[in-house]
Amino acid sequence: MKTLSRKLKEIIDNQILNGSFSTDQSLLNGRMGLSLFFFHCSRLLHNRFYEDFAGELLEDICLHLPFDLAVDFADGFCGIGWAVEYMRRQGFVEGDTNEILKEIDGKVMERDLRCTADTSFEHGLEGIVSYVRARLDSPRRESNELPFDTDYLEDLKNACQRTGVDWQSEDYIPEKVWKRVVDWWRQEAAIAEVYNWKRGIPLLETYQNT
């Protein structure tokens, strides 16, 4: 059996003790990212405790989600909602994501896209497209039960056409977006030179490939 690296074990132990105390609920910087870290720990290391810890984090995030968040992917609704869809796709969670994400869909539609100029993944159009694509591709009971209204989708298509974002590209399928998220965490961890969960997920991938 493979043994954990010292750094990865230190990250896991530290985040169990301290990670849940953060007040940041976001995907790229906060507790939603931490929840994903422990879901992946559970699967890779076959540890049910990590799965329970991740599930408790996720439940607490959903119950106490502040609805004055930004819409963006890095720190706001799009990243949190995308993570829920990713978890469902990976089999980490079960259930109808439409029920969980209905309010987030409404908040995302409040963002006026008609004059948006920011196309970035973290705070702009690419992050919104990543979430919208995940929602549109998610299984639902009724094929015509879309999470976004037609006016919003038309505004999104027009914004993408105006800014050169190909919203139908495979770059926005969950597996490609996940790789982008992991790369972002890897870069952030290298800059900060800290061993938190942002460094932990790339280390998990290294562990898996050894």
Short mmCIF file of all heavy atoms in Angstrom, two decimals, residues 124-146:
data_model
loop_
_atom_site.label_atom_id
_atom_site.label_comp_id
_atom_site.label_asym_id
_atom_site.label_seq_id
_atom_site.Cartn_x
_atom_site.Cartn_y
_atom_site.Cartn_z
N GLY A 124 -15.34 36.77 -14.48
CA GLY A 124 -16.09 37.22 -15.64
C GLY A 124 -16.88 36.15 -16.35
O GLY A 124 -17.35 35.16 -15.76
N LEU A 125 -16.98 36.33 -17.65
CA LEU A 125 -17.91 35.55 -18.47
C LEU A 125 -17.56 34.06 -18.55
O LEU A 125 -18.46 33.22 -18.55
CB LEU A 125 -17.93 36.16 -19.88
CG LEU A 125 -19.12 35.81 -20.77
CD1 LEU A 125 -20.45 36.15 -20.09
CD2 LEU A 125 -19.01 36.54 -22.10
N GLU A 126 -16.27 33.73 -18.58
CA GLU A 126 -15.92 32.31 -18.68
C GLU A 126 -16.37 31.52 -17.44
O GLU A 126 -16.76 30.35 -17.55
CB GLU A 126 -14.42 32.14 -18.90
CG GLU A 126 -13.97 32.52 -20.30
CD GLU A 126 -12.60 31.95 -20.61
OE1 GLU A 126 -12.50 30.72 -20.77
OE2 GLU A 126 -11.64 32.74 -20.66
N GLY A 127 -16.30 32.15 -16.29
CA GLY A 127 -16.77 31.48 -15.08
C GLY A 127 -18.28 31.29 -15.09
O GLY A 127 -18.78 30.24 -14.67
N ILE A 128 -19.00 32.28 -15.58
CA ILE A 128 -20.46 32.17 -15.68
C ILE A 128 -20.82 31.07 -16.67
O ILE A 128 -21.71 30.25 -16.41
CB ILE A 128 -21.07 33.52 -16.11
CG1 ILE A 128 -20.86 34.56 -15.02
CG2 ILE A 128 -22.55 33.36 -16.42
CD1 ILE A 128 -21.25 35.98 -15.42
N VAL A 129 -20.15 31.04 -17.82
CA VAL A 129 -20.41 30.01 -18.82
C VAL A 129 -20.14 28.62 -18.24
O VAL A 129 -20.90 27.67 -18.48
CB VAL A 129 -19.56 30.25 -20.08
CG1 VAL A 129 -19.59 29.03 -21.00
CG2 VAL A 129 -20.05 31.48 -20.83
N SER A 130 -19.09 28.49 -17.45
CA SER A 130 -18.77 27.20 -16.84
C SER A 130 -19.92 26.70 -15.97
O SER A 130 -20.28 25.51 -15.99
CB SER A 130 -17.50 27.30 -15.99
OG SER A 130 -16.38 27.64 -16.80
N TYR A 131 -20.52 27.61 -15.21
CA TYR A 131 -21.65 27.22 -14.37
C TYR A 131 -22.89 26.92 -15.20
O TYR A 131 -23.56 25.90 -15.00
CB TYR A 131 -21.97 28.32 -13.35
CG TYR A 131 -23.19 28.01 -12.53
CD1 TYR A 131 -23.21 26.90 -11.69
CD2 TYR A 131 -24.33 28.81 -12.61
CE1 TYR A 131 -24.34 26.60 -10.94
CE2 TYR A 131 -25.46 28.51 -11.85
CZ TYR A 131 -25.46 27.41 -11.03
OH TYR A 131 -26.58 27.09 -10.29
N VAL A 132 -23.20 27.80 -16.13
CA VAL A 132 -24.40 27.61 -16.95
C VAL A 132 -24.33 26.30 -17.73
O VAL A 132 -25.31 25.55 -17.79
CB VAL A 132 -24.60 28.81 -17.90
CG1 VAL A 132 -25.71 28.52 -18.92
CG2 VAL A 132 -24.94 30.08 -17.11
N ARG A 133 -23.18 26.00 -18.30
CA ARG A 133 -23.03 24.74 -19.03
C ARG A 133 -23.23 23.54 -18.11
O ARG A 133 -23.88 22.55 -18.48
CB ARG A 133 -21.65 24.68 -19.68
CG ARG A 133 -21.52 25.47 -20.97
CD ARG A 133 -22.23 24.77 -22.14
NE ARG A 133 -21.71 23.44 -22.34
CZ ARG A 133 -20.62 23.16 -23.08
NH1 ARG A 133 -19.97 24.13 -23.69
NH2 ARG A 133 -20.22 21.91 -23.23
N ALA A 134 -22.68 23.60 -16.90
CA ALA A 134 -22.84 22.50 -15.96
C ALA A 134 -24.31 22.30 -15.62
O ALA A 134 -24.79 21.17 -15.50
CB ALA A 134 -22.03 22.76 -14.69
N ARG A 135 -25.05 23.38 -15.47
CA ARG A 135 -26.47 23.29 -15.14
C ARG A 135 -27.28 22.77 -16.32
O ARG A 135 -28.16 21.92 -16.15
CB ARG A 135 -27.00 24.66 -14.71
CG ARG A 135 -26.42 25.15 -13.40
CD ARG A 135 -26.89 24.34 -12.23
NE ARG A 135 -28.30 24.61 -11.94
CZ ARG A 135 -29.24 23.67 -11.87
NH1 ARG A 135 -28.94 22.39 -12.05
NH2 ARG A 135 -30.49 24.00 -11.58
N LEU A 136 -26.99 23.26 -17.51
CA LEU A 136 -27.75 22.83 -18.67
C LEU A 136 -27.50 21.36 -19.00
O LEU A 136 -28.38 20.67 -19.52
CB LEU A 136 -27.41 23.69 -19.88
CG LEU A 136 -27.85 25.16 -19.82
CD1 LEU A 136 -27.38 25.90 -21.06
CD2 LEU A 136 -29.36 25.28 -19.68
N ASP A 137 -26.30 20.88 -18.71
CA ASP A 137 -25.94 19.49 -19.00
C ASP A 137 -26.36 18.52 -17.89
O ASP A 137 -26.21 17.31 -18.04
CB ASP A 137 -24.43 19.36 -19.24
CG ASP A 137 -23.98 20.08 -20.50
OD1 ASP A 137 -24.84 20.39 -21.34
OD2 ASP A 137 -22.78 20.35 -20.62
N SER A 138 -26.86 19.05 -16.78
CA SER A 138 -27.21 18.21 -15.64
C SER A 138 -28.51 17.46 -15.90
O SER A 138 -29.46 18.02 -16.45
CB SER A 138 -27.37 19.08 -14.39
OG SER A 138 -27.69 18.30 -13.26
N PRO A 139 -28.58 16.17 -15.53
CA PRO A 139 -29.82 15.42 -15.71
C PRO A 139 -30.96 16.05 -14.92
O PRO A 139 -30.78 16.53 -13.81
CB PRO A 139 -29.48 14.03 -15.16
CG PRO A 139 -27.99 13.96 -15.16
CD PRO A 139 -27.51 15.35 -14.93
N ARG A 140 -32.15 16.05 -15.50
CA ARG A 140 -33.34 16.58 -14.82
C ARG A 140 -34.55 15.74 -15.16
O ARG A 140 -34.56 15.02 -16.15
CB ARG A 140 -33.57 18.04 -15.19
CG ARG A 140 -33.54 18.36 -16.67
CD ARG A 140 -33.63 19.86 -16.92
NE ARG A 140 -32.74 20.62 -16.08
CZ ARG A 140 -31.47 20.90 -16.41
NH1 ARG A 140 -30.97 20.45 -17.55
NH2 ARG A 140 -30.70 21.58 -15.61
N ARG A 141 -35.56 15.84 -14.31
CA ARG A 141 -36.74 15.01 -14.48
C ARG A 141 -37.46 15.29 -15.79
O ARG A 141 -37.90 14.39 -16.49
CB ARG A 141 -37.70 15.26 -13.31
CG ARG A 141 -37.17 14.85 -11.95
CD ARG A 141 -38.28 14.87 -10.92
NE ARG A 141 -37.76 14.62 -9.58
CZ ARG A 141 -37.55 15.58 -8.69
NH1 ARG A 141 -37.77 16.84 -9.01
NH2 ARG A 141 -37.09 15.29 -7.48
N GLU A 142 -37.58 16.56 -16.13
CA GLU A 142 -38.26 16.95 -17.35
C GLU A 142 -37.25 17.58 -18.31
O GLU A 142 -36.53 18.49 -17.93
CB GLU A 142 -39.38 17.95 -17.06
CG GLU A 142 -40.44 17.45 -16.08
CD GLU A 142 -41.26 16.33 -16.67
OE1 GLU A 142 -41.33 16.25 -17.91
OE2 GLU A 142 -41.84 15.54 -15.89
N SER A 143 -37.21 17.10 -19.55
CA SER A 143 -36.22 17.59 -20.51
C SER A 143 -36.39 19.06 -20.83
O SER A 143 -35.44 19.74 -21.20
CB SER A 143 -36.29 16.76 -21.80
OG SER A 143 -37.57 16.86 -22.38
N ASN A 144 -37.62 19.57 -20.67
CA ASN A 144 -37.86 20.99 -20.99
C ASN A 144 -37.80 21.88 -19.75
O ASN A 144 -38.14 23.06 -19.80
CB ASN A 144 -39.23 21.14 -21.66
CG ASN A 144 -40.37 20.67 -20.77
OD1 ASN A 144 -40.13 20.04 -19.75
ND2 ASN A 144 -41.60 20.97 -21.18
N GLU A 145 -37.37 21.31 -18.63
CA GLU A 145 -37.28 22.07 -17.38
C GLU A 145 -35.88 22.69 -17.27
O GLU A 145 -34.96 22.13 -16.68
CB GLU A 145 -37.54 21.13 -16.18
CG GLU A 145 -37.50 21.83 -14.83
CD GLU A 145 -37.56 20.86 -13.68
OE1 GLU A 145 -37.59 19.64 -13.92
OE2 GLU A 145 -37.52 21.32 -12.53
N LEU A 146 -35.72 23.87 -17.85
CA LEU A 146 -34.41 24.52 -17.87
C LEU A 146 -34.23 25.40 -16.63
O LEU A 146 -35.19 26.03 -16.16
CB LEU A 146 -34.26 25.36 -19.13
CG LEU A 146 -34.23 24.59 -20.45
CD1 LEU A 146 -34.11 25.56 -21.63
CD2 LEU A 146 -33.09 23.59 -20.48
#
